[in-house]
Amino acid sequence: MSQVVLITGCTEGGIGNGLCQEFINKGFKVYATARRIESMNDLEGCEKLALDVTDQQSIDSTVQRVIDEAGHIDILINNAGAPGVGALLDIDLDTARKCVEVNVFGLLAMSRAVAKHMAKRGSGKIANVGSIVGYASTPWAGIYAMSKAAVHSLTDTLRMELAPFGIQAVVIAPGSIKSNFGKNSTNMISIPEDSFYSSVAEFIYARANMSQGPHSTPTNVFAAYVVSKLLKRSLPRYITYGTNSFTFLLFYYLPFFIREFVLSRRLGVNQIKSIANN
């Protein structure tokens, strides 16, 4: 019987799409999902389903369809994500809420729906895509980093609460991986005319694309590494991989003043013009 994997956020050009390709190559029964099926036209050899992780009815119907067709789910990968780039004083609150709704509550809703089926079988793996900014937040990405830190924390709890049912939970923390996420992040930036941070607007836009530099890890390389870890009988608690991942792990353990000194200069905080007494 083929092993079954359900992956969210599989739009062409993204990490989820790359993970689908890797699992397909390894002979898995793959269910790829995204809000629009046409956004996954490049995928072949898998089932493609429309799924909105912020809609409980969509979640329930999708999970039930997979169970009806395949009988079970061996691995769930919660990859669907929304960007949240901008200064915390500026970012649109609806944008911020959407980021958290997709990245945190959508992930939790999917985990709840699938874990119930896994528990009845006494086995399963849930992999939640966090981020290296879940280890160390940066200027201009506070909302996104907050959501990913929540993913890390939530998964740590899931790991303990689901262990009695034979279900393993793991955080996937990508570094800088080639994907379409930088473009999506750039498109959502809005800097108000009266922003206190207008003088460093170029750094805010640069932050949106920071993961898409020339040295970013190719998606297929990242996917191959992650899948190799997910196929182990006993999962690591965290799978951290990709360009800049070591740096952010180091930031996690270093004193805050060192982290803040480096990031403030790297991302232009030290160049902000004061408005006091002006």
Side-chain angles (χ1 to χ4, degrees):
M1 182 183 296
S2 297
Q3 292 197 71
V4 179
V5 59
L6 170 61
I7 306 176
T8 68
C10 300
T11 300
E12 183 175 0
I15 287 175
N17 190 285
L19 291 170
C20 282
Q21 298 279 9
E22 186 66 19
F23 275 111
I24 292 168
N25 293 341
K26 290 190 176 298
F28 273 66
K29 175 73 172 177
V30 176
Y31 284 86
T33 69
R35 283 181 299 169
R36 298 179 298 106
I37 290 180
E38 58 269 25
S39 70
M40 303 180 285
N41 283 340
D42 65 313
L43 288 174
E44 297 181 357
C46 66
E47 299 294 328
K48 292 177 278 192
L49 305 176
L51 169 64
D52 181 349
V53 299
T54 65
D55 183 332
Q56 190 63 51
Q57 184 176 354
S58 177
I59 290 172
D60 292 340
S61 61
T62 298
V63 172
Q64 191 58 53
R65 176 171 170 179
V66 176
I67 295 297
D68 290 343
E69 291 182 3
H72 64 281
I73 298 171
D74 294 288
I75 302 174
L76 166 66
I77 300 180
N78 285 309
N79 171 72
V85 178
L88 290 177
L89 293 187
D90 291 342
I91 191 168
D92 179 76
L93 287 180
D94 287 337
T95 299
R97 291 187 182 100
K98 179 181 177 181
C99 176
V100 175
E101 185 67 29
V102 173
N103 297 357
V104 181
F105 292 109
L107 177 150
L108 176 59
M110 282 297 300
S111 298
R112 286 159 57 112
V114 173
K116 293 174 182 178
H117 294 281
M118 289 179 170
K120 292 175 182 178
R121 294 185 73 223
S123 66
K125 298 174 180 178
I126 296 177
N128 295 328
V129 177
S131 170
I132 56 172
V133 297
Y135 295 129
S137 185
T138 75
W140 325 134
I143 296 298
Y144 182 72
M146 174 185 71
S147 74
K148 292 304 185 178
V151 169
H152 291 199
S153 179
L154 182 154
T155 307
D156 290 342
T157 299
L158 274 179
R159 187 182 306 111
M160 293 183 282
E161 293 182 351
L162 296 179
F165 308 108
I167 303 171
Q168 300 181 69
V170 56
V171 173
I172 300 172
S176 299
I177 312 298
K178 287 286 186 182
S179 72
N180 51 16
F181 205 72
K183 179 180 179 182
N184 295 339
S185 297
T186 300
N187 290 340
M188 57 77 58
I189 294 175
S190 177
I191 302 176
E193 291 184 4
D194 60 349
S195 172
F196 294 161
Y197 304 100
S198 298
S199 61
V200 291
E202 63 181 287
F203 288 96
I204 297 175
Y205 279 97
R207 175 63 187 86
N209 284 287
M210 196 166 72
S211 65
Q212 301 306 303
H215 301 295
S216 297
T217 301
T219 308
N220 64 318
V221 173
F222 174 78
Y225 180 87
V226 169
V227 171
S228 71
K229 296 295 184 181
L230 291 178
L231 295 186
K232 292 183 178 297
R233 182 181 297 274
S234 181
L235 295 183
R237 291 173 174 79
Y238 280 70
I239 301 172
T240 305
Y241 186 73
T243 303
N244 292 323
S245 57
F246 176 79
T247 299
F248 275 75
L249 272 174
L250 189 61
F251 281 153
Y252 180 76
Y253 291 104
L254 286 174
F256 278 101
F257 78 90
I258 296 177
R259 178 197 309 180
E260 292 171 6
F261 177 86
V262 174
L263 290 175
S264 292
R265 279 151 184 76
R266 171 69 175 81
L267 292 167
V269 174
N270 63 322
Q271 297 184 34
I272 294 172
K273 297 177 180 178
S274 174
I275 63 168
N277 302 318
N278 285 347

